[in-house]
Amino acid sequence: MLNHQLPPDTQAILLLCASFSQNRKTEPQPLTLSEYNTLANCLRLQQLTPKNLLEETAKKQLLEMIIPLDPNRIISLLERGMMLSLAVEKWTSQGLWILGRSDPEYPRCLKQKLQHLAPAILYGVGNFELLSQGGLAVVGSRDVDEEGLNYTDYIVQTCAEQGIPIISGGARGVDQTAMLVALNAGGNVVGVLGDSLAKSAVSSKYRHFIKSGNLTLISSYDPDAGFNVGNAMGRNKYIYGLSDYGLIISSSVDQGGTWAGAVEALEKIKTVPVFVRMQGTIPDGNQQLINRGAKPFPEMPFNRPLQELITDVIAMDQDALISIPHSEIDLTLSPQTENELKPASENSEIQKDTPVYPVSQTIYEAVLPLILGQLEQPKDAKFLAELLQVRLSQMQDWLNIAVSQGKVKKNKKPVTYEVNRDISLLSFISNKH
């Protein structure tokens, strides 16, 4: 259990971001995560941290700082010291703890995978060390059928037996089933809640497991907050951020939290492989997620440790996407070509869609099938450069050529690239256009 004495940085973050169950219509309104990130960046530029806002000179500093936020609103938030004291006393009396993003105990995986989307504050109960163990995220529809629940039961039983923690969202249906089955089988579980943390912390179905150290419940929202659709959706990325892999038991198409969370993980988080159940009666959403880049989960019953089977699926998937082995492509550049591919200044015309550097046509034609194989789903240039182990500027040149030739389409906000569906990929590869 964490010490109830909060570090100064965490105190300041709570003052800035916590609601303390106040009326949402009253002022001042706590900072959103985006607003807090903006303020934190401004402080960092001046070599300050949130705790510096607790000093007597903070008011004057804020009024003199150039920030895209109302300094008087920030000052009013920082003056809620009494509300903070009462709230922390209440939370700690309920057995809850609080972690700020600057605390050493804050799960590093959230900051690494989510970066600026990592929550500024985490409220929790139970063994906070479970937050850093990774594991398998198991999520699905609230209205899952019996077949889906039986599948969930088998998967989480296996995970408990093999020491793989379960991360889920606590909602009825798949999430709650996964958590309770894993706990009753002796496994470790992290529940990422979108509401009612304080109520769940004393629930009879969870109390024993919290006490035994097998269950940790967390939320980035006020511990007393009730259900809110936005919060339920918002907590999905934290489930994936705490996990090594994600498994969708059942999902609808284009609706519901399970679908939204899976698409967010596939398109934004990207570092967490997303699997879907492809046995039995398969919901339409599961198949559509496969089309978006998810992977079929290993078929049960398992004949080897689940961790090995998952690793094999990921390896095979990567091999299937890359149509030409790296060993067959010579990416070694001559000194002249290496010099030609050096990036121009930030003000150069490289920002345009058309290439401005001479690029070896032979190399470009060799690597283009690999690039196109990865662009069935939108990817950014950095991802592709790391995958092929080339410099970002070199990858950008190849993408610019492909865009100018109409073979790749460039998306904006965020900037990503995908295969131009108007051109036959197979035709292009065979004819080497």
Side-chain angles (χ1 to χ4, degrees):
M1 183 66 65
L2 292 175
N3 192 310
H4 293 338
Q5 183 63 42
L6 299 178
D9 274 325
T10 303
Q11 293 179 39
I13 297 173
L14 275 168
L15 288 169
L16 293 166
C17 302
S19 68
F20 305 136
S21 299
Q22 69 208 62
N23 188 335
R24 294 285 182 178
K25 295 182 180 179
T26 63
E27 294 293 342
Q29 289 297 304
L31 300 183
T32 64
L33 178 57
S34 176
E35 290 173 329
Y36 171 73
N37 286 334
T38 297
L39 177 60
N41 287 334
C42 291
L43 292 173
R44 192 176 300 112
L45 289 174
Q46 300 189 47
Q47 298 184 325
L48 301 174
T49 67
K51 69 181 179 184
N52 295 115
L53 298 178
L54 303 177
E55 299 170 359
E56 293 183 2
T57 58
K59 182 175 181 179
K60 180 180 178 181
Q61 285 179 303
L62 283 168
L63 293 172
E64 293 176 349
M65 284 174 61
I66 300 176
I67 53 175
L69 298 170
D70 181 3
N72 291 309
R73 176 186 171 200
I74 298 172
I75 292 169
S76 297
L77 289 169
L78 293 169
E79 290 175 345
R80 300 184 301 159
M82 180 58 69
M83 296 179 69
L84 172 64
S85 297
L86 293 174
V88 171
E89 182 179 355
K90 175 184 176 182
W91 294 331
T92 53
S93 69
Q94 295 171 326
L96 305 184
W97 39 256
I98 304 106
L99 285 177
R101 206 159 62 183
S102 60
D103 287 331
E105 296 88 357
Y106 188 97
R108 183 176 298 177
C109 56
L110 279 182
K111 290 192 283 189
Q112 290 176 335
K113 295 175 184 176
L114 304 184
Q115 299 181 29
H116 66 283
L117 295 178
I121 288 288
L122 281 178
Y123 307 93
V125 61
N127 180 7
F128 66 87
E129 293 181 355
L130 296 183
L131 301 179
S132 300
Q133 291 189 357
L136 179 68
V138 179
V139 295
S141 170
R142 291 171 179 262
D143 300 318
V144 63
D145 58 19
E146 184 175 356
E147 184 180 34
L149 290 177
N150 290 337
Y151 182 94
T152 303
D153 191 307
Y154 179 86
I155 295 298
V156 297
Q157 285 268 8
T158 301
C159 288
E161 293 169 2
Q162 298 181 11
I164 302 173
I166 295 296
I167 300 93
S168 197
R172 67 177 175 82
V174 169
D175 293 25
Q176 198 168 106
T177 296
M179 291 172 59
L180 291 175
V181 170
L183 289 167
N184 284 313
N188 291 333
V189 172
V190 175
V192 184
L193 309 183
D195 65 274
S196 310
L197 174 64
K199 182 178 179 181
S200 298
V202 295
S203 170
S204 59
K205 64 176 175 282
Y206 292 138
R207 192 165 50 235
H208 166 72
F209 300 111
I210 292 172
K211 186 176 180 180
S212 68
N214 295 98
L215 172 64
T216 299
L217 299 176
I218 64 168
S219 178
S220 63
Y221 306 105
D222 188 312
D224 297 311
F227 178 78
N228 175 285
V229 174
N231 292 355
M233 294 287 192
R235 67 87 157 86
N236 288 328
K237 56 182 166 289
Y238 308 141
I239 296 175
Y240 289 98
L242 291 168
S243 307
D244 297 315
Y245 319 99
L247 170 60
I248 312 299
I249 301 295
S250 61
S251 174
S252 301
V253 180
D254 288 328
Q255 62 179 341
T258 302
W259 172 269
V263 171
E264 184 177 37
L266 287 167
E267 297 182 355
K268 295 183 179 180
I269 300 176
K270 299 181 181 179
T271 56
V272 180
V274 178
F275 293 85
V276 293
R277 170 174 67 99
M278 294 300 287
Q279 283 184 270
T281 305
I282 308 304
D284 291 342
N286 288 31
Q287 181 58 58
Q288 289 300 317
L289 289 172
I290 289 286
N291 297 340
R292 283 176 170 261
K295 303 168 179 54
F297 200 69
E299 291 194 3
M300 62 181 198
F302 306 130
N303 55 9
R304 285 188 292 141
L306 183 54
Q307 189 80 38
E308 292 183 8
L309 294 172
I310 291 174
T311 302
D312 285 350
V313 171
I314 295 173
M316 286 188 294
D317 184 70
Q318 290 174 341
D319 290 342
L321 284 172
I322 298 177
S323 58
I324 301 178
H326 282 251
S327 59
E328 295 181 15
I329 300 177
D330 182 9
L331 293 178
T332 304
L333 305 180
S334 67
Q336 179 181 356
T337 305
E338 179 73 21
N339 185 62
E340 291 171 345
L341 292 177
K342 288 182 179 178
S345 66
E346 294 182 359
N347 296 323
S348 74
E349 295 298 311
I350 190 63
Q351 301 302 323
K352 295 184 178 180
D353 289 345
T354 55
V356 298
Y357 304 126
V359 180
S360 168
Q361 189 67 20
T362 301
I363 296 177
Y364 168 70
E365 290 178 352
V367 299
L368 187 57
L370 281 74
I371 296 173
L372 293 175
Q374 291 292 332
L375 295 184
E376 288 299 311
Q377 297 297 324
K379 303 287 193 310
D380 59 28
K382 182 179 179 182
F383 173 90
L384 295 169
E386 292 175 350
L387 180 69
L388 296 185
Q389 299 180 356
V390 298
R391 294 188 297 114
L392 179 58
S393 58
Q394 179 176 319
M395 178 56 66
Q396 190 65 65
D397 284 336
W398 290 334
L399 289 169
N400 288 342
I401 291 177
V403 169
S404 69
Q405 293 175 342
K407 292 152 188 170
V408 169
K409 181 174 67 174
K410 182 178 180 181
N411 304 315
K412 298 180 179 180
K413 295 184 179 180
V415 176
T416 56
Y417 300 84
E418 61 181 307
V419 170
N420 189 339
R421 305 294 176 184
D422 296 332
I423 294 181
S424 168
L425 175 59
L426 291 177
S427 174
F428 161 70
I429 293 175
S430 61
N431 296 326
K432 293 186 178 180
H433 286 328

